[in-house]
């Protein structure tokens, strides 16, 4: 079986922080992940006549949580959590599944994978995807071929799922650094591990949904104050706004 690498002092723990409060369940993360990895590190990812049977590193599940006025729809994105103690690695008989010591990313070497599926049975998060066409196991790579690509601008060196999220519900960074943006976000919002009782210490964290507002959030007093504020603002700026509009229209029509 495969051994985990010895810990390196100060090594990165790259991972994702997913905000369940702002995820809208649009599946953009799954689609862009599929597109990027169609020719990337673990590509091509197979499809079977546009059915969900193909290889998808990201999947989004939707649940109804709570009851009555406090109930809400929660969209739950799921992918590899790049655990600190990944069972998928330690059960691999060939060493094809491995964890990188320098950044904590868990990967699969397709050249040595024999498709035994032991890793998928060991993973309690269902993050492993078997490619029937290639006969090997594939999984989320955190877009390792993208985040280290020096030909890209630094702001673009993030996983495809993070880059495409329209609600900014996905965040990427070093969770081994307590001063990083993602670590601070986890501390402030009470981010948590998925199934911590399993002991695999997932690096990826989830931010819980904020309590749903009930009662006077749309009450008449607040509505009136907002209306009054808007009316006052319109009254004081109508003349300036009108003049600005006329100047803009004059410039457009004079071209």
């Amino acid at each position: 079986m495969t051994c985990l690498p010895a810990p390196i002092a100060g090594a990165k723990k790259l991972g994702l922080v997913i905000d369940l409060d702002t995820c809208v369940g649009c599946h953009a993360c799954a689609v862009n992940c599929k597109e990027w990895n169609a020719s990337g590190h673990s590509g091509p990812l197979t499809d079977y006549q546009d059915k969900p049977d193909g290889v998808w590193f990201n999947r989004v599940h939707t649940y109804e949580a709570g009851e009555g006025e406090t109930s809400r729809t929660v969209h739950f994105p799921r992918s590899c959590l790049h655990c600190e103690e990944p069972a998928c690695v330690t059960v691999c008989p060939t060493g094809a599944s491995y964890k990188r010591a320098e950044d904590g990313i868990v990967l699969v070497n397709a050249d040595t994978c024999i498709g035994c599926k032991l890793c998928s049975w060991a993973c309690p998060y269902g993050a492993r995807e078997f490619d029937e066409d290639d006969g090997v196991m594939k999984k989320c790579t955190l877009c390792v071929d993208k985040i280290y690509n020096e030909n890209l601008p630094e702001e673009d060196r993030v996983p495809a799922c993070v880059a495409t999220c329209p609600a900014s519900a996905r965040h990427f960074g070093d969770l081994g650094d307590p001063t990083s943006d993602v670590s601070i976000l986890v501390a402030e919002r009470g981010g948590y591990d998925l199934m911590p009782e399993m002991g695999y210490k997932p690096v990826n964290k989830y931010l819980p949904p904020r309590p749903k507002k009930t009662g006077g959030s749309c009450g008449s007093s607040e509505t009136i104050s907002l209306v009054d504020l808007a009316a006052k603002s319109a009254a004081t700026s109508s003349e300036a706004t009108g003049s600005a509009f006329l100047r803009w229209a004059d410039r457009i029509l004079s071209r």
Side-chain angles (χ1 to χ4, degrees):
M1 300 301 175
T2 306
C3 295
L4 296 175
I8 299 177
K12 294 180 179 180
K13 295 180 182 179
L14 297 182
L16 302 174
V17 175
I18 300 175
D19 193 342
L20 300 180
D21 188 64
T22 56
C23 176
V24 296
C26 65
H27 295 259
C29 56
V31 174
N32 201 33
C33 169
K34 184 82 166 181
E35 182 176 5
W36 176 265
N37 287 288
S39 58
H41 183 275
S42 289
L45 303 186
T46 56
D47 278 318
Y48 302 109
Q49 298 178 352
D50 298 324
K51 296 179 180 179
D53 306 63
V55 178
W56 294 82
F57 293 162
N58 275 280
R59 296 181 185 271
V60 181
H61 305 275
T62 300
Y63 303 94
E64 291 298 320
E67 297 180 357
E69 292 185 356
T70 61
S71 66
R72 63 183 299 167
T73 301
V74 176
H75 305 288
F76 188 85
R78 178 177 60 83
S79 62
C80 176
L81 302 177
H82 298 276
C83 302
E84 293 186 46
E85 302 286 339
C88 59
V89 170
T90 55
V91 301
C92 181
T94 67
S97 290
Y98 64 100
K99 184 175 181 66
R100 293 168 30 135
E102 63 270 26
D103 54 20
I105 298 177
V106 178
L107 298 173
V108 177
N109 184 348
D111 293 333
T112 54
C113 177
I114 59 175
C116 66
K117 300 184 181 180
L118 282 176
C119 59
S120 63
W121 296 336
C123 175
Y125 306 112
R128 293 283 174 136
E129 295 271 335
F130 185 70
D131 191 324
E132 295 184 5
D133 284 1
D134 293 344
V136 298
M137 195 63 64
K138 294 182 178 179
K139 62 177 294 299
C140 163
T141 67
L142 274 182
C143 290
V144 68
D145 54 337
K146 188 172 186 281
I147 62 177
Y148 287 112
N149 188 344
E150 295 183 355
N151 294 318
L152 295 175
E154 187 172 355
E155 62 270 17
D156 292 338
R157 297 177 201 171
V158 296
C161 61
V162 175
T164 197
C165 181
S168 298
R170 303 175 75 94
H171 308 268
F172 170 70
D174 182 6
L175 287 152
D177 177 6
T179 65
S180 68
D181 291 342
V182 286
S183 294
I184 293 173
L185 184 61
V186 169
E188 290 179 347
R189 288 281 309 281
Y192 61 90
D193 294 348
L194 185 62
M195 298 168 62
E197 69 276 6
M198 301 297 295
Y200 298 131
K201 301 179 182 178
V203 173
N204 288 9
K205 309 297 180 186
Y206 286 92
L207 304 181
R210 294 180 177 89
K212 186 175 180 181
K213 294 181 180 179
T214 58
S217 60
C218 294
S220 58
S221 60
E222 181 179 358
T223 303
I224 292 174
S225 63
L226 291 176
V227 170
D228 290 343
L229 180 62
K232 291 178 181 178
S233 176
T236 56
S237 62
S238 59
E239 183 176 353
T241 302
S243 300
F245 174 79
L246 292 176
R247 289 196 298 271
W248 172 83
D250 182 69
R251 286 198 303 271
I252 296 299
L253 296 175
S254 298
R255 290 180 178 177

